[in-house]
Every structure is written in C-alpha cells, then in structure tokens.
C-alpha cells in the first residue's frame, strides 16, 4: 500500500518509516522542512511538504494514499489543550478525505482514554468519554469519523522511550534540572505505562496490516512504572535529590506539568497482544533512563 504518514520525521514517525518499508509498503511522509525531505529520501520514502496548521496540505497528502497513519502532534505541552484541539481538526480533515473510500485511518491517542478507574489499568475496550485529559479530542474526532463511515483504528501511547526521548519524562528531566530537585507527588505511587519506540513502530504497522475498524490498541510493554522509581532514576542521572512534593504544593512546584505529575497512567496491552500477535522486546523505561546521557538534556 501507499501510506501517507504524518509526523514522518518525528520521534515515532521516523521509526515507523523503515518498518513500513520493510513490510513492503510505499511511504509518503509529511515533513515541514527540506532537511526532513532529504532524510525521508535517504530512508527510501517520498516527501510530502505540509504542516498541521495547513489542512489543505493534510488533505492533499491523504488524497493519493491507500492508507493514512497519523503520528504527528505538536508536543509543546505548555499549550497542550490548544494542540489537542489542533489534532481534532487534523483528524477531521483526514477523515473528510477518506470518507466512503474504505481506506484505513490510523490515529494516535493516549492510554489514559481507556481508564477504568478504581486503580485498574487502562484497557482497549474502554473509552472514558468524561476523561479530563484534553487528548480526548483525538478520539472524539476519531469516533465522529468512524460514525461517518471511515475505517478508523486507534493506537494509544504510553511513555514512548529510547535513550534520548521518553515522552513526558523528557520535559520532566529538563524541569528537574532547572529546579535543582527531582520531585514526585505524595508517595510517588502513581504509575506510568511505557514502551520502547521500536516496539511502538512495529505496532503501527501491525495495526495497518491486521487491525480492524473501530478497534483500539495499547502500545504498552510495561503496565506501570512508579513515579517515585522514575524520579529516583532521574535524580541519580542528574546528581540531584529526589523528594516528595505535597499534593497541595504540586501546582506551584511543577507548573504546567502538575496536570500530569500525579496522574496514574497504568495500562494493559493484553488484548492488543492477543489480537495482533505483538510481543514487545525492547528495553524498559528505567533501563533507558539509566543509559541516557543527562548532560545532553
């Protein structure tokens, strides 16, 4: 298939490109820059110049494709709500182009959208419609597209990592360095699920090749790593103390990051593994955090 891939030169997308090519697909990768276009050409893909703010370029990329994988997202978390609404518009534009064609649209969301509550891990068969996370906009847009007849499949992400980037942990490390202390909320018992970026990239291709319309897939290798363990590992890497921050002081200490610092984002991928025969093999989050070069952050 000819696959239009948004975010093709981003952290996740750049790993999806070689997986798609190895599976025999042709890749039309969206990029904003000439440097990105050259990188895609070198990888064996074709570049499509476009931006998330330019919905016409988004539609044009999807127009000539047999399938779309949407991994692009504006990761300025200080403008998270605004960027989630931007993603809603992008998914809507892609859906308009694909409507009635039978061509699959694979979108990206977060594992929190499958939250069950009561300390249970998030699962694929739950859509928590009242979830406070603004990223719910992505799945709301996906649900609207599904109801309009588009073949929508959802990949829900945890903390996706290697030794350079680790999802929300990356801005957390920078914040801790600036503050001189590595904080966690309360006892630090809240957990974040995680998966190595290579395993995530393989899952996107499996969802394309074997997934079904309307299904959600959790890209989770580790169900939950405690916030305290993450903080202590980061503290060791930075040479800074890890300490508890009282819940009532979290907003003042963490700023915009307080929205995420105390969240429990544990998630299961049992159903995803069964449906797609997906078995993560990459290193764990703590292993990658132990191996990273903190001087480069």
């Amino acid at each position: 298939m000819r696959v239009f891939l948004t975010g093709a030169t981003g952290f996740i997308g750049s790993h999806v490109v070689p997986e798609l090519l190895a599976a025999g697909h042709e890749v039309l990768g969206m990029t904003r820059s000439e440097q990105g276009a050259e990188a895609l050409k070198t990888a064996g893909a074709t570049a499509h110049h476009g931006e998330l703010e330019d919905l016409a370029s988004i539609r044009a990329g999807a127009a000539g494709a047999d399938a779309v994988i949407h991994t692009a997202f504006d990761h300025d978390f200080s403008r998270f709500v605004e960027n989630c609404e931007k993603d809603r518009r992008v998914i809507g534009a892609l859906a308009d182009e694909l409507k009635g064609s039978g061509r699959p649209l694979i979108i990206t969301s977060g594992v929190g959208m499958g939250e069950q509550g009561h300390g249970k891990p998030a699962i694929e068969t739950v859509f928590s419609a009242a979830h406070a996370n603004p990223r719910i906009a992505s799945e709301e847009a996906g649900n609207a597209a599904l109801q309009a007849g588009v073949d929508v499949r959802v990949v829900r992400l945890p903390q996706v990592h290697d030794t350079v980037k680790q999802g929300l942990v990356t801005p957390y490390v920078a914040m801790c360095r600036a503050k001189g202390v590595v904080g966690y909320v309360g006892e630090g018992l809240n957990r974040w699920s995680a998966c190595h970026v290579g395993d995530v990239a393989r899952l996107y291709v499996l969802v394309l090749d074997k997934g079904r319309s309307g299904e959600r897939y959790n890209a989770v290798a580790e169900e939950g790593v405690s916030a305290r363990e993450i903080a202590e590992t980061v503290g060791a890497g930075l040479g800074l103390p890890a300490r508890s921050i009282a819940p009532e002081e979290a907003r003042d200490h963490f700023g915009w990051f307080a929205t995420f610092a105390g969240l429990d984002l544990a998630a299961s991928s049992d159903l995803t593994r069964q449906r797609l025969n997906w078995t993560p093999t990459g290193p764990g989050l703590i292993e990658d955090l132990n191996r990273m070069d903190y001087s480069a952050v």
Side-chain angles (χ1 to χ4, degrees):
M1 285 188 284
R2 180 176 170 84
V3 181
F4 176 48
L5 174 65
T6 72
T9 57
F11 177 47
I12 294 174
S14 63
H15 287 80
V16 174
V17 169
E19 294 289 344
L20 284 170
L21 294 171
H25 299 293
E26 180 184 350
V27 178
L28 177 65
M30 191 175 85
T31 180
R32 293 177 296 177
S33 67
E34 289 299 330
Q35 182 180 4
E38 284 299 318
L40 287 168
K41 181 179 178 181
T42 300
T46 302
H48 172 81
H49 289 273
E51 297 189 9
L52 293 177
E53 294 79 8
D54 183 358
L55 297 184
S57 69
I58 296 285
R59 293 190 184 96
D66 300 310
V68 175
I69 299 178
H70 175 44
T71 66
F73 189 80
D74 187 337
H75 286 95
D76 178 358
F77 288 106
S78 66
R79 304 173 64 188
F80 189 53
V81 174
E82 179 182 335
N83 292 335
C84 289
E85 289 303 314
K86 184 194 301 184
D87 199 53
R88 184 198 299 273
R89 292 190 293 272
V90 171
I91 292 170
L94 290 168
D96 286 344
E97 190 61 46
L98 298 177
K99 192 183 306 180
S101 69
R103 294 174 288 164
L105 168 60
I106 300 170
I107 67 171
T108 303
S109 180
V111 292
M113 301 309 102
E115 184 180 80
Q116 302 183 79
H118 308 292
K120 297 180 180 179
I123 58 175
E124 298 90 337
T125 53
V126 169
F127 172 56
S128 182
H131 202 285
N133 189 329
R135 191 66 193 264
I136 199 169
S138 301
E139 288 204 31
E140 287 175 343
N143 288 343
L146 188 66
Q147 291 169 9
V150 180
D151 177 353
V152 178
R153 310 167 193 182
V154 183
V155 175
R156 287 172 167 170
L157 300 180
Q159 306 310 306
V160 181
H161 60 85
D162 62 7
T163 58
V164 178
K165 291 186 178 181
Q166 302 87 24
L168 285 168
V169 181
T170 298
Y172 172 69
V173 171
M175 181 196 69
C176 292
R177 182 190 295 281
K179 286 186 169 291
V181 65
V182 184
Y184 53 88
V185 179
E187 296 181 59
L189 299 180
N190 59 299
R191 301 157 297 164
W192 286 1
S193 52
C195 191
H196 189 269
V197 65
D199 290 318
V200 172
R202 286 194 300 107
L203 180 60
Y204 273 100
V205 180
L206 285 171
V207 172
L208 173 66
D209 290 343
K210 301 180 180 180
R212 296 182 179 180
S213 178
E215 289 189 343
R216 299 176 172 93
Y217 303 92
N218 285 354
V220 172
E222 296 179 281
E223 187 171 292
V225 183
S226 77
R228 181 165 184 167
E229 185 177 9
I230 293 170
E232 290 174 345
T233 305
V234 170
L238 290 174
L240 294 173
R243 69 174 175 86
S244 171
I245 305 298
E248 61 271 18
E249 298 174 359
R251 179 61 59 182
D252 286 340
H253 179 83
F254 292 106
W256 66 267
F257 193 79
T259 302
F260 307 100
L263 285 181
D264 190 79
L265 294 173
S268 166
S269 61
D270 288 348
L271 191 55
T272 297
R273 297 178 193 228
Q274 293 168 17
R275 285 171 171 170
L276 301 179
N277 194 28
W278 176 67
T279 303
T281 59
L285 175 60
I286 297 301
E287 182 179 347
D288 271 349
L289 287 174
N290 278 324
R291 292 164 52 207
M292 74 178 283
D293 179 6
Y294 284 84
S295 67
V297 178

